[in-house]
């Protein structure tokens, strides 16, 4: 399968963080997790993939037709003055879609994250988990086929986080988009991803790639399975820089 | 009405009434001459007797201040948007805005009156009031337009937003709370600027409240001076209240400042 987006020997120095050279490509229908210590440049790599920052060296190439990006930030990053529905419709609005179509797609996207009845609510009237789901719906509304998620659930409580992980896996199974997922959580990376990239800092680089071929969506009991736990151990060891167990 | 609310309203009101009574009593008890400090009752009487001329003057001052405020608001927002489009223009024009702000208006006023001509004193007053009222709107809106959430900014770029979409959908709403808090200061300053300009223009044909104060002062009608002052203060409070109400109305649904503390 061809790659949706590829970085080849990409280098970037940004806010005192040196990154690269890093090579990485993301295909449709795969979830790539990027894991690493703070300051290793995980979020910067997402922005490089999205084309939000120019590279200092190296190459970024896109599939034809170019993938449609959806971005989910660490906090929900909603416009506080706009309703959930208007927030979800934003990408469509920016891309010049008709109002009727925007409304229809926004409602569908909100329903797909279980917030079909909260379209009129303002962000401040929603809980943290709901806001994050609105943010997810926004990334989906413009028919994104490459989702970039920057530690999207880091600020949520454990149970909400697990729920949203399941919801995300269900969406992946349904829509077959590619995704790159930055996280601090070893468990979350193994649960969600089909490929886990472990980064180290100074300079930010990918030190290990761990595949997780277990089929998705993954059952609730997956978190207790030996396969899952052994992969968690491998990722943890890679993160610590220990030899492969 | 709850006891809490009664205390909240009753305390300042009681204090005010007590202050007036103490004032009234001291003026009589210490036999203060009315041209030094008239009693509140004398001021009220003067306000009643001169109501027609004072209210007519208040209308003149108020309409000039309102016009100055509207112009300052439009000009301040337009300049701030211009500054956002071009940092070069911002660097070129910002110093003039600062110079106009820090130069005392009473020092500029005679010049403006001379340039515009005493026969058009109202225009001079308007210009001076605009100069005084412009800066808070300009400075606050400029900061507000730049205070856009970084992530939202990236989202707009990711989806190929046009300059116009960024301005209307992101920068202006982000700047609104800043703009309104600048407007609240500007509205008061427009009134202050109008009165100062009326003072400087003096007898040159403005019939605002400042002129009533000068006139009454020349005749040692101190109670009437106070009556005009009371009207001015009331106008100031009214202007502040109106702009605060608009601010609350515009931000009530989404902004932290308009939500209850607990």
């Amino acid at each position: 399968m061809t790659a949706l987006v590829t970085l080849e020997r990409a280098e970037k120095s940004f806010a005192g963080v040196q990154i690269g050279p890093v090579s990485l490509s993301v295909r449709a229908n795969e979830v790539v997790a990027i894991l690493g210590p703070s300051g290793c440049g995980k979020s910067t790599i997402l922005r490089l993939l999205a084309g939000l920052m120019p590279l200092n060296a190296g190459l970024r190439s896109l599939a034809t037709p170019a993938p449609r990006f959806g971005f989910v930030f660490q906090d929900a990053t909603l416009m506080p003055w706009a309703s959930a529905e208007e927030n979800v419709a934003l990408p469509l609005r920016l891309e010049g879609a008709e109002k009727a179509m925007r409304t229809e797609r926004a409602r569908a996207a909100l329903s797909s994250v279980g917030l079909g009845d909260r379209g009129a609510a303002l962000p401040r009237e929603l809980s943290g988990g709901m806001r994050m789901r609105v943010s997810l719906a926004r990334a989906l509304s413009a028919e994104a086929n490459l989702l970039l998620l920057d530690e999207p659930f880091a600020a949520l409580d454990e149970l909400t986080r697990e729920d949203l992980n399941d919801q995300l896996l269900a969406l992946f199974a349904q829509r077959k988009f590619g995704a790159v997922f930055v996280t601090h959580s070893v468990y979350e990376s193994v649960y969600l991803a089909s490929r886990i990239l472990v980064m180290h800092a100074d300079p930010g680089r990918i030190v290990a790639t761990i595949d997780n071929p277990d089929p998705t969506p993954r059952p609730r009991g997956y978190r207790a399975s030996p396969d899952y736990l052994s992969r968690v151990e491998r990722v943890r060891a890679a993160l610590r820089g220990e030899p492969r167990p | 009405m709850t006891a809490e609310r009664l205390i909240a309203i009753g305390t300042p009101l009681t204090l005010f009434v007590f202050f007036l009574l103490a004032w009234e009593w001291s003026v009589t008890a210490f036999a203060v001459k009315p041209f030094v400090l008239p009693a509140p009752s004398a001021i009220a009487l003067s306000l009643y007797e001169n109501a027609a001329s004072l209210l007519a003057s208040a209308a003149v001052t108020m309409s000039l201040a309102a016009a100055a405020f509207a112009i300052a608001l439009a000009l301040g927002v337009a300049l701030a948007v211009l500054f956002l489009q071009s940092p070069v223009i911002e660097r070129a024009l910002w110093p003039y805005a600062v110079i106009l702000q820090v130069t005392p208006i009473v020092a500029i006023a005679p010049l403006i009156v001379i340039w515009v001509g005493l026969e058009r004193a109202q225009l001079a007053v308007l210009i001076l009031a605009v100069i005084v009222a412009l800066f808070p709107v300009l400075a606050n809106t400029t900061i507000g337009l730049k205070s856009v959430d970084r992530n939202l900014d990236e989202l707009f770029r990711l989806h190929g937003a046009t300059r116009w979409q960024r301005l209307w959908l992101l920068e202006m709403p982000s700047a609104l709370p800043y703009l309104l808090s600048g407007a609240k200061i500007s509205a008061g300053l427009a009134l202050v600027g109008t009165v100062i300009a009326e003072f400087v223009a003096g007898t040159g044909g403005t019939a605002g409240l400042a002129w009533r104060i000068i006139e009454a002062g020349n005749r040692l009608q101190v109670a009437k001076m106070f009556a005009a002052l009371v009207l001015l203060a009331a106008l100031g409070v009214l202007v502040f209240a109106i702009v605060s109400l608009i601010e609350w109305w515009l931000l009530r649904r989404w902004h932290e400042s308009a939500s209850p503390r607990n």
Side-chain angles (χ1 to χ4, degrees):
Chain A
M1 199 176 287
T2 55
L4 291 170
V5 59
T6 304
L7 291 179
E8 283 173 74
R9 303 197 55 77
E11 290 179 46
K12 178 78 186 171
S13 72
F14 176 71
V17 177
Q18 189 67 39
I19 296 161
V22 166
S23 296
L24 142 76
S25 68
V26 187
R27 292 180 295 274
N29 203 12
E30 77 165 341
V31 180
V32 178
I34 302 180
L35 196 72
S38 296
C40 72
K42 303 183 294 289
S43 299
T44 304
I45 286 188
L46 273 196
R47 281 162 177 80
L48 292 176
L49 285 169
L52 286 169
M53 287 176 169
L55 297 173
N56 292 144
L59 263 182
R60 168 180 179 263
S61 51
L62 296 175
T64 4
R68 296 176 64 83
F69 288 98
F71 209 111
V72 181
F73 299 91
Q74 182 166 0
D75 51 23
T77 311
L78 303 175
M79 300 179 293
W81 54 84
S83 69
E85 193 175 295
E86 287 166 332
N87 268 292
V88 172
L90 179 71
L92 293 160
R93 183 165 186 182
L94 295 180
E95 288 166 18
E98 295 280 320
K99 189 165 174 38
M101 194 251 242
R102 290 197 316 246
T103 311
E104 188 194 316
R105 291 255 200 97
R107 285 188 184 152
L110 274 173
S111 297
S112 72
V113 295
L115 287 174
D117 57 340
R118 300 307 302 272
L122 288 171
R124 63 183 282 182
E125 296 159 354
L126 300 170
S127 70
M130 286 174 173
R131 282 202 284 266
M132 214 57 233
R133 267 147 58 193
V134 172
S135 179
L136 200 57
R138 177 178 60 195
L140 298 171
S141 71
E143 312 261 278
N145 59 352
L146 180 53
L147 217 53
L148 305 173
L149 304 106
D150 189 4
E151 294 185 51
F153 310 135
L156 301 177
D157 67 85
E158 192 66 26
L159 287 182
T160 309
R161 186 176 184 144
E162 283 181 10
D163 281 349
L164 282 169
N165 281 346
D166 288 337
Q167 205 152 27
L168 201 57
L169 277 183
L171 286 168
F172 286 142
Q174 196 186 329
R175 300 230 189 168
K176 311 280 182 209
F177 40 63
V180 184
F181 191 98
V182 165
T183 179
H184 269 124
S185 161
V186 176
Y187 298 102
E188 192 172 65
S189 72
V190 176
Y191 188 67
L192 288 177
S194 44
R195 187 150 55 100
I196 299 141
L197 308 177
V198 177
M199 288 187 69
H200 282 185
D202 296 322
R205 64 202 186 278
I206 296 167
V207 293
T209 301
I210 294 152
D211 287 316
N212 183 359
D214 293 338
T216 55
R218 290 165 180 159
R220 280 251 151 172
Y222 179 65
R223 285 196 181 91
S225 71
D227 280 353
Y228 172 78
L229 293 172
S230 80
R231 285 206 179 84
V232 165
E233 268 321 299
R234 275 182 62 193
V235 172
R236 197 193 298 280
L239 206 52
R240 289 214 176 104
E242 291 163 1
R244 220 172 125 155
Chain B
M1 197 183 282
T2 62
E4 220 170 279
R5 204 165 157 69
L6 208 65
I7 291 170
I9 297 172
T11 311
L13 210 63
T14 312
L15 189 71
F16 183 63
V17 170
F18 180 76
F19 170 72
L20 286 184
L21 287 175
W23 179 353
E24 185 79 40
W25 176 81
S26 335
V27 167
T28 322
F30 300 110
V32 183
K33 292 191 169 54
F35 58 84
V36 177
L37 181 68
S41 54
I43 295 168
L45 188 67
S46 170
L47 192 59
Y48 177 74
E49 283 170 348
N50 300 295
S53 73
L54 284 177
L55 283 177
S57 294
V60 170
T61 299
M62 190 62 182
S63 53
L64 272 174
F69 174 56
I71 294 171
L73 197 61
L75 195 62
V77 172
L79 277 174
V81 169
L82 186 68
F83 288 177
L84 184 72
Q85 311 307 315
S86 162
V88 177
I89 295 179
E90 181 181 358
R91 269 199 298 279
L93 292 186
W94 189 247
Y96 297 98
V98 174
I99 288 169
L100 278 182
Q101 160 72 8
V102 297
T103 311
I105 193 67
V106 282
I108 317 174
L111 273 178
I112 303 277
V113 172
I114 290 170
W115 290 339
V116 175
L118 262 181
E119 68 282 7
R120 286 186 296 171
Q122 294 223 345
L123 181 61
V125 170
L126 187 67
I127 293 173
L128 285 163
V130 169
I131 290 175
V132 176
L134 178 67
F135 194 78
V137 172
L138 175 61
N140 275 32
T141 311
T142 303
I143 299 248
L145 288 171
K146 291 177 183 170
S147 305
V148 163
D149 181 290
R150 292 268 301 269
N151 289 341
L152 273 176
D153 185 69
E154 287 190 326
L155 197 73
F156 271 67
R157 279 201 286 137
L158 186 71
H159 293 286
T162 62
R163 194 71 211 81
W164 196 242
Q165 285 176 323
R166 282 178 57 87
L167 184 65
W168 278 115
L169 299 177
L170 181 62
E171 286 156 350
M172 283 306 258
S174 301
L176 190 63
Y178 294 83
L179 190 168
L180 289 169
S181 99
K184 221 160 35 176
I185 302 169
S186 280
L189 283 182
L191 188 62
V192 171
T194 304
V195 174
I196 291 177
E198 281 177 351
F199 263 105
V200 176
T203 55
T206 65
L209 274 178
W211 170 238
R212 293 288 160 228
I213 293 174
I214 297 174
E215 189 186 47
N218 288 344
R219 295 175 187 170
L220 270 185
Q221 295 170 329
V222 181
K224 191 178 172 189
M225 288 175 81
F226 267 93
L229 268 183
V230 168
L231 267 186
L232 257 185
L235 282 186
V237 170
L238 182 72
V239 161
F240 187 82
I242 290 173
V243 181
S244 297
L245 194 70
I246 293 173
E247 180 186 37
W248 171 83
W249 188 78
L250 285 173
L251 302 181
R252 73 194 187 287
R253 287 194 66 209
W254 64 273
H255 199 253
E256 292 301 329
S257 66
S259 67
R261 288 278 154 74
N262 36 13

